[in-house]
Amino acid sequence: MTASTPLDPGSVTPAAVVAVRQALDGRWSAVREEIRARDDFASLRVAPGADPETYRDRVWEMLGQLAADGHALHGFPTSVGGHGDIGGSVVSFEMLAFADLSLQVKSGVQWGLFGGAIQALGNAEQHARYLPSVMDLSLPGCFGMTETGHGSDVQSVHTTATYDPATGEFVIDTPTESARKDYIGNAARDGRMAALFVQLWTAPAGQEPQRYGVHALLVPLRDDDGTVLPGVEITDDGHKEGLNGVDNGRLAFHGVRVPRANLLDRYGTVAADGTYSSSIESENRRFFTMLGALVRGRISVSGSAVGAAMLALTIAIRYGEVRRQFSAPGGDGEIAVLDYLAHQRKLLPLLARTYALRFAQNELVEMLHDIQTTREAGGDVDEKRQRELESRAAGIKALSTWNATEVIQVCREACGGQGYLSENRLGALRTDTDVFTTFEGDNTVLLQLVAKGLISGYADDFGNLDTLGTIRFVADQVLDSVAERTSLHSLAERLRGAAGGDDDEVLDSSWQIKLLDDREEHTLDSLVRRLRPARGKGVSAERAFEIFNSTQDHLLRAARSHLDGLVLDAFNRACEGQQDPAARSLMRQVCDLYALSVIETDKGWFLEHGRISASRAKAVTAEVNRLCQSLRQHARALIDSFGIPEEWIGAPIAVGEEARRQDEAIAHAGSGAHTA
């Protein structure tokens, strides 16, 4: 892989923009184009300032419109009238980020979480009975997992379902206030049934019930008229910082009875006499297998965060090209703010990171599609591949949602007071996406999951261990093989290659990859060495936890280092797969900017650990500046490659008369930029 070279402004033609867009669209470009062709998509947005009830009404109306148009069919099985296209379902969900995020989240609750739980955890009879009504919205539903007292720790939820052999029913109870199902989308107003996650208790008649861990049941909430059913308690979560078109609520259950047939029993069955059986003997393994089947929701959130960041960057970069400030030397005009390096530094590295995350997201969706399509067809899925999917989904979701939070805030600031106006969408994007960092998994917890997978190297065994068992497993079984992977001689050779050489080498992709790989390996080795005191059975549980807790900084750094390399690899593969020469050269420059921005951000670590010299560190910063200035002339082409139709953008500062004139210039000359 060679260094990128600057492009002349005129070389990025409309054809090159299309080629970049196709690369960003990935395998499901046809689905994206189909949605782009909708002439009513811009109407799927609520005007700023709507009161919550009006907003909820409008979102419900729009959801019905999507259902009538068959928007929900992509990911459901062909046996029940769906298209059997799991990747297409994630992509179609992602595209809704350009319309209205409340609509997107509500659709995700209905079709991704509620319908997805039935699809992933239910049997064929349950599919046939419920999924057609889920798809056409005649059965609106909820996903009842999170509790007031247990969010990320799903395995410890307190809601119970106790089987009664005398009646053939499960009895659902909320034993404490902290066991209420909380923040449940669709619960406060529209949902009529919940896929409820509970601790399952059962035993044959005459025996004491035993707990068999977390399972899911379908529990009716309201009748056809919308009346709350006896024993079900529903309260509205109230006004939120964002997503007020979604009716989040709290659920509690007091002796609610549901038939035995309502158990989603793909991974665990209760016979009529109360006998429990499962093809997966271990409770822990059963739990993680069940959660793994639900990974689509986490991947969908990641995709929507990337989409929101793309929209924010489109608005801010368009505005930066037409907003002028301070007189140009030697002329009568003023300078476009995007011509200032400081403004480029704000936006273009974030643009590069969003590109990188989009390519990583594309690969993640492909992996999800291939694995789950194989499983639904009855084929065997390699467990290591499944664990890799879960780990990658956790990590990319964390990076993508944190990126969206940062991107939208920076874009708001880059647009000054105009960015603060509701009509320009950045404020709503900021508040609506803020919760993405904590739902479908708190990001810090997700990074811990990534790191634990790295240090164990044996995901199946690891999934069956508690915290103490994990620490001892790592210390006893993995430490020696991980900590001393590399001889001192080869390490010295590698470091000489990273730290020395010409400054031009910073644009060498192999140098960038090697530097990030070395940081990951060193951080992982250091983490495992810090766990060494936990070695041995004589260490108490308290001491083991203390040791583990003291490594949290290294744990999170190891995960982040691994993910940075994974994302860079995805970007490099996208560059190598690009056939259009101008598009490939443009993508390579953006890839270089992403890689060098990652290195620059952690420059202190690389210097501190002797991975780069002071002169090389300065060269990285100089090259980031140069790339920002070079890519400035192609900034418009880069955001046009996102493929967001003009009428979808909806921000006056991005679609004014001057911006429209730029569109004409791009179409006729392919210049990709407006100069001062």
Side-chain angles (χ1 to χ4, degrees), residues 314-517:
T314 297
I315 294 168
I317 288 174
R318 281 187 171 207
Y319 184 64
E321 291 195 319
V322 300
R323 176 73 166 95
R324 286 170 162 69
Q325 194 78 275
F326 304 112
S327 298
D332 297 329
E334 294 180 302
I335 300 173
V337 295
L338 195 57
D339 286 335
Y340 291 103
L341 177 61
H343 207 76
Q344 296 162 11
R345 271 282 197 160
K346 281 184 179 180
L347 296 175
L348 298 186
L350 294 179
L351 176 67
R353 188 203 295 166
T354 301
Y355 259 70
L357 288 168
R358 177 60 174 272
F359 290 125
Q361 172 73 12
N362 287 350
E363 292 191 349
L364 184 59
V365 174
E366 290 185 14
M367 186 185 299
L368 169 76
H369 177 86
D370 293 343
I371 288 174
Q372 292 200 345
T373 299
T374 298
R375 178 179 285 115
E376 293 204 357
D380 293 330
V381 174
D382 180 75
E383 283 300 314
K384 288 186 178 180
R385 184 72 168 161
Q386 173 66 35
R387 298 305 185 203
E388 180 186 355
L389 171 66
E390 294 165 18
S391 176
R392 187 173 297 194
I396 298 301
K397 184 267 179 183
L399 295 194
S400 296
T401 54
W402 272 327
N403 178 67
T405 297
E406 181 180 358
V407 164
I408 296 167
Q409 178 62 29
V410 170
C411 287
R412 206 293 299 158
E413 294 178 21
C415 293
Q418 293 288 342
Y420 201 60
L421 295 177
S422 296
E423 67 178 5
N424 287 320
R425 302 194 67 183
L426 293 171
L429 282 174
R430 182 175 55 188
T431 55
D432 285 346
T433 59
D434 185 58
V435 74
F436 285 8
T437 60
T438 52
F439 77 45
E440 283 295 327
D442 175 272
N443 282 357
T444 300
V445 175
L446 295 182
L447 287 192
Q448 291 180 25
L449 293 177
V450 174
K452 288 176 181 178
L454 292 174
I455 60 176
S456 74
Y458 301 91
D460 291 342
D461 291 332
F462 177 80
N464 292 323
L465 297 176
D466 59 15
T467 299
L468 178 60
T470 297
I471 297 165
R472 287 177 173 161
F473 174 80
V474 170
D476 290 340
Q477 304 297 326
V478 187
L479 184 131
D480 289 337
S481 61
V482 173
E484 306 299 338
R485 280 193 301 259
T486 313
S487 70
L488 292 175
H489 174 73
S490 61
L491 176 61
E493 290 297 316
R494 189 168 71 253
L495 297 188
R496 268 200 297 273
D502 298 330
D503 287 347
D504 288 345
E505 271 190 11
V506 299
L507 290 177
D508 186 329
S509 297
S510 62
W511 178 83
Q512 298 162 4
I513 293 167
K514 179 172 21 177
L515 199 62
L516 295 188
D517 283 350

Side-chain angles (χ1 to χ4, degrees), residues 71 76 112 125 252 334 396 580:
H71 183 85
F76 289 105
E125 183 179 342
E334 294 180 302
I396 298 301
D580 182 283

Side-chain angles (χ1 to χ4, degrees), residues 124-381:
E125 183 179 342
Q126 291 165 333
H127 290 179
R129 180 178 179 183
Y130 295 109
L131 290 182
S133 300
V134 172
M135 289 188 288
D136 67 18
L137 202 58
S138 59
L139 177 60
C142 310
F143 185 76
M145 179 178 282
T146 297
E147 294 183 353
T148 304
H150 288 92
S152 297
D153 186 7
V154 178
Q155 200 168 9
S156 297
V157 296
H158 285 173
T159 304
T160 61
T162 305
Y163 183 66
D164 181 358
T167 63
E169 296 171 316
F170 288 100
V171 183
I172 315 297
D173 281 297
T174 302
T176 64
E177 189 171 291
S178 66
R180 297 175 305 179
K181 297 298 180 181
D182 214 341
Y183 318 112
I184 307 303
N186 273 1
R189 201 186 73 161
D190 297 324
R192 293 214 319 271
M193 179 177 281
L196 196 71
F197 290 78
V198 299
Q199 296 290 349
L200 182 68
W201 292 78
T202 186
Q207 298 182 24
E208 284 294 316
Q210 297 183 40
R211 189 183 64 82
Y212 288 93
V214 176
H215 289 67
L217 294 94
L218 296 176
V219 181
L221 305 176
R222 295 177 172 91
D223 63 20
D224 291 343
D225 296 327
T227 302
V228 177
L229 295 171
V232 178
E233 179 186 343
I234 302 178
T235 55
D236 197 318
D237 275 319
H239 193 271
K240 307 182 293 291
E241 290 299 311
L243 299 175
N244 282 299
V246 182
D247 52 321
N248 293 89
R250 297 184 182 94
L251 301 174
F253 303 89
H254 310 289
V256 174
R257 289 177 171 265
V258 299
R260 182 172 63 92
N262 282 31
L263 176 67
L264 296 175
D265 63 357
R266 184 167 188 168
Y267 299 109
T269 301
V270 175
D273 70 350
T275 302
Y276 179 85
S277 62
S278 173
S279 60
I280 305 173
E281 185 175 346
S282 164
E283 178 185 325
N284 280 346
R285 183 184 289 273
R286 189 164 58 241
F287 171 76
F288 287 114
T289 300
M290 179 185 72
L291 284 194
L294 300 173
V295 71
R296 193 190 312 183
R298 186 167 288 166
I299 294 172
S300 295
V301 170
S302 175
S304 65
V306 173
M310 290 163 63
L311 178 58
L313 286 162
T314 297
I315 294 168
I317 288 174
R318 281 187 171 207
Y319 184 64
E321 291 195 319
V322 300
R323 176 73 166 95
R324 286 170 162 69
Q325 194 78 275
F326 304 112
S327 298
D332 297 329
E334 294 180 302
I335 300 173
V337 295
L338 195 57
D339 286 335
Y340 291 103
L341 177 61
H343 207 76
Q344 296 162 11
R345 271 282 197 160
K346 281 184 179 180
L347 296 175
L348 298 186
L350 294 179
L351 176 67
R353 188 203 295 166
T354 301
Y355 259 70
L357 288 168
R358 177 60 174 272
F359 290 125
Q361 172 73 12
N362 287 350
E363 292 191 349
L364 184 59
V365 174
E366 290 185 14
M367 186 185 299
L368 169 76
H369 177 86
D370 293 343
I371 288 174
Q372 292 200 345
T373 299
T374 298
R375 178 179 285 115
E376 293 204 357
D380 293 330
V381 174

Side-chain angles (χ1 to χ4, degrees), residues 579-602:
Q579 299 301 310
D580 182 283
R584 183 173 182 172
S585 182
L586 182 61
M587 287 169 58
R588 175 55 62 195
Q589 285 192 68
V590 180
C591 185
D592 284 339
L593 180 56
Y594 166 70
L596 295 180
S597 296
V598 170
I599 294 167
E600 184 185 42
T601 298
D602 210 14

Side-chain angles (χ1 to χ4, degrees), residues 1 5 99 101 114 130 218 259 304 494 534 562 610 625 630 661:
M1 288 175 273
T5 54
L101 284 164
F114 176 58
Y130 295 109
L218 296 176
S304 65
R494 189 168 71 253
H562 171 72
N625 287 341
S630 175
R661 285 198 295 270

